[in-house]
């Protein structure tokens, strides 16, 4: 099922020599480089198409999280009067991390169906579509992190030594999002209800995850919901490391990484097991 791509990204120049297209993998790069190049091209195409017919174009990738951030900030600062130190950075970091997980899993789950026609006519690994959906969400995520960096600079939030743990938490988040996408994508092809159910799960998960509020505000008897939620754990530890300059607990960090790796392996196993008969359901 994982045979090579038939089309080669090269063209013939006027002098008869083969001309390699810019960014295309060379012959020494092999099959994996070709797949990586395809993932990048699909991700860039999805990212461009998303903003093609809008007047503000790529500006929406910045405006969208900022608008949600502004609404939540006004409601929970002036109306609900939440008393959270450095609430702007606290809130925007939580929104950015959740948006990546939400967008990555939602588009990743539907990535096979959205390219069903291409998958039935060409021979290439189906997981390429899931990877490209995740990378497309990652491009928006990078822009959101850049906006967060500006906000932290404006609010005078210093980066301290505990911030070096943030990349580990980002890797955990990527593994978690990838594993969830790989798990959902083949199920969504066979059962369309999965898409509707996952959207409901994301809406419920947004309010059960301490994105807007502190995890300590959750009543103690319900706090286990936050502890078993890997996204909530990643958001909480990221705030400690980036916003407040505290070291995340080593045991908790290892547990979060173990949960993310476990979800990724489970998703990969599920995808490999179910992908062979997906053509019947396209």
């Amino acid at each position: 099922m994982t045979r090579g791509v038939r089309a080669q990204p090269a063209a013939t120049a006027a002098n008869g020599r083969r001309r390699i297209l810019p960014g295309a993998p060379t012959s020494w790069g092999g099959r994996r480089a070709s797949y990586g190049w395809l993932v990048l091209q699909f991700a860039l195409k999805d990212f461009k198409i998303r903003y093609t017919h809008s007047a503000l174009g790529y500006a929406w990738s910045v405006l969208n999280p900022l608008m949600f951030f502004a609404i939540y900030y006004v409601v929970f600062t002036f109306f609900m009067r939440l008393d959270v130190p450095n609430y702007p950075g606290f809130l925007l970091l939580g929104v950015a991390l959740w948006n990546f997980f939400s967008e990555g899993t939602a588009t990743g789950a539907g990535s096979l169906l959205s390219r069903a026609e291409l998958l039935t006519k060409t021979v290439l690994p189906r997981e390429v579509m899931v990877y490209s959906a995740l990378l497309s969400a990652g491009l928006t995520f990078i822009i959101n992190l850049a906006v967060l960096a500006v906000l932290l600079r404006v609010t005078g939030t210093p980066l301290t030594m505990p911030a070096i743990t943030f990349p580990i938490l980002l890797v955990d988040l990527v593994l978690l999002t990838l594993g969830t996408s790989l798990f959902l994508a083949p199920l969504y092809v066979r059962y369309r209800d999965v898409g509707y159910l996952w959207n409901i799960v994301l809406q419920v998960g947004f309010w059960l995850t301490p994105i807007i509020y502190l995890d300590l505000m959750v009543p103690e008897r319900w706090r286990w919901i936050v502890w078993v939620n890997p996204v909530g754990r990643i958001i909480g530890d990221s705030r400690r490391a980036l916003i407040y300059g505290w070291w995340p607990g080593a045991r908790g960090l290892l547990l979060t990484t173990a949960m993310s790796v476990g979800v990724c392996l489970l998703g990969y196993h599920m995808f490999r097991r179910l992908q062979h008969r997906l053509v019947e359901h396209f």
Side-chain angles (χ1 to χ4, degrees):
M1 191 55 64
T2 57
R3 285 175 290 177
V5 183
R6 288 172 177 170
Q8 295 298 320
T12 303
N15 58 8
R17 296 181 178 177
R18 283 169 61 83
R19 177 171 59 87
I20 303 299
L21 297 177
T26 56
S27 56
W28 59 266
R31 191 170 55 185
R32 290 184 185 278
S34 298
Y35 295 157
W37 189 76
L38 279 177
V39 169
L40 178 62
Q41 295 307 310
F42 283 136
L44 292 175
K45 183 180 179 182
D46 288 343
F47 189 76
K48 290 176 182 175
I49 289 177
R50 191 183 312 168
Y51 303 106
T52 295
H53 300 292
S54 61
L56 297 179
Y58 297 117
W60 280 114
S61 62
V62 177
L63 291 175
N64 193 41
L66 282 181
M67 290 174 66
F68 280 104
F69 162 76
I71 293 170
Y72 295 140
Y73 183 77
V74 169
V75 171
F76 289 93
T77 300
F78 299 105
F79 299 164
M80 305 294 289
R81 297 186 180 279
L82 286 185
D83 185 17
V84 178
N86 199 351
Y87 192 58
F90 174 97
L91 180 59
L92 187 55
L93 177 58
V95 170
L97 295 174
W98 175 262
N99 280 352
F100 172 69
F101 176 76
S102 175
E103 182 185 344
T105 55
T107 56
S111 59
L112 296 180
L113 270 183
S114 65
R115 289 209 164 89
E117 186 176 353
L118 178 64
L119 288 172
T120 55
K121 294 179 179 176
T122 58
V123 179
L124 74 165
R126 294 187 172 92
E127 56 265 34
V128 164
M129 303 307 171
V130 182
Y131 297 157
S132 64
L134 188 67
L135 182 58
S136 179
L139 295 175
T140 305
F141 184 49
I142 291 172
I143 295 173
N144 291 344
L145 289 181
V147 174
L148 174 68
V150 173
L151 179 73
L152 295 181
R153 176 90 176 182
V154 170
T155 57
T157 306
L159 288 182
T160 55
M161 279 300 291
I164 62 175
T165 60
F166 186 57
I168 300 174
L169 294 162
L170 287 183
V171 172
D172 289 344
L173 183 63
V174 171
L175 291 176
L176 183 67
T177 308
L178 175 61
T180 307
S181 301
L182 288 171
F183 185 89
L184 293 175
L187 290 177
Y188 189 24
V189 172
R190 300 185 67 168
Y191 310 103
R192 304 297 197 268
D193 307 79
V194 170
Y196 298 105
L197 288 173
W198 185 245
N199 284 331
I200 295 173
V201 169
L202 287 175
Q203 292 181 37
V204 174
F206 178 84
W207 295 106
L208 290 182
T209 304
I211 299 167
I212 297 172
Y213 51 85
L214 277 170
D215 51 358
L216 296 177
M217 294 177 177
V218 178
E220 193 168 353
R221 65 173 178 163
W222 297 110
R223 211 167 287 169
W224 61 270
I225 296 177
V226 178
W227 294 339
V228 300
N229 178 355
V231 183
R233 298 174 66 90
I234 291 170
I235 291 175
D237 281 343
S238 297
R239 283 167 174 161
R240 292 183 189 91
L242 272 188
I243 308 299
Y244 301 121
W246 302 340
W247 287 100
R251 184 178 175 184
L253 202 58
L254 285 173
L255 182 58
T256 304
T257 301
M259 294 169 75
S260 301
V261 172
V263 170
C264 189
L265 291 176
L266 176 64
Y268 185 75
H269 174 74
M270 176 67 81
F271 191 93
R272 300 285 295 180
R273 182 176 179 182
L274 297 180
Q275 67 167 335
H276 302 292
R277 301 185 62 183
L278 291 180
V279 176
E280 304 170 7
H281 305 277
F282 281 146

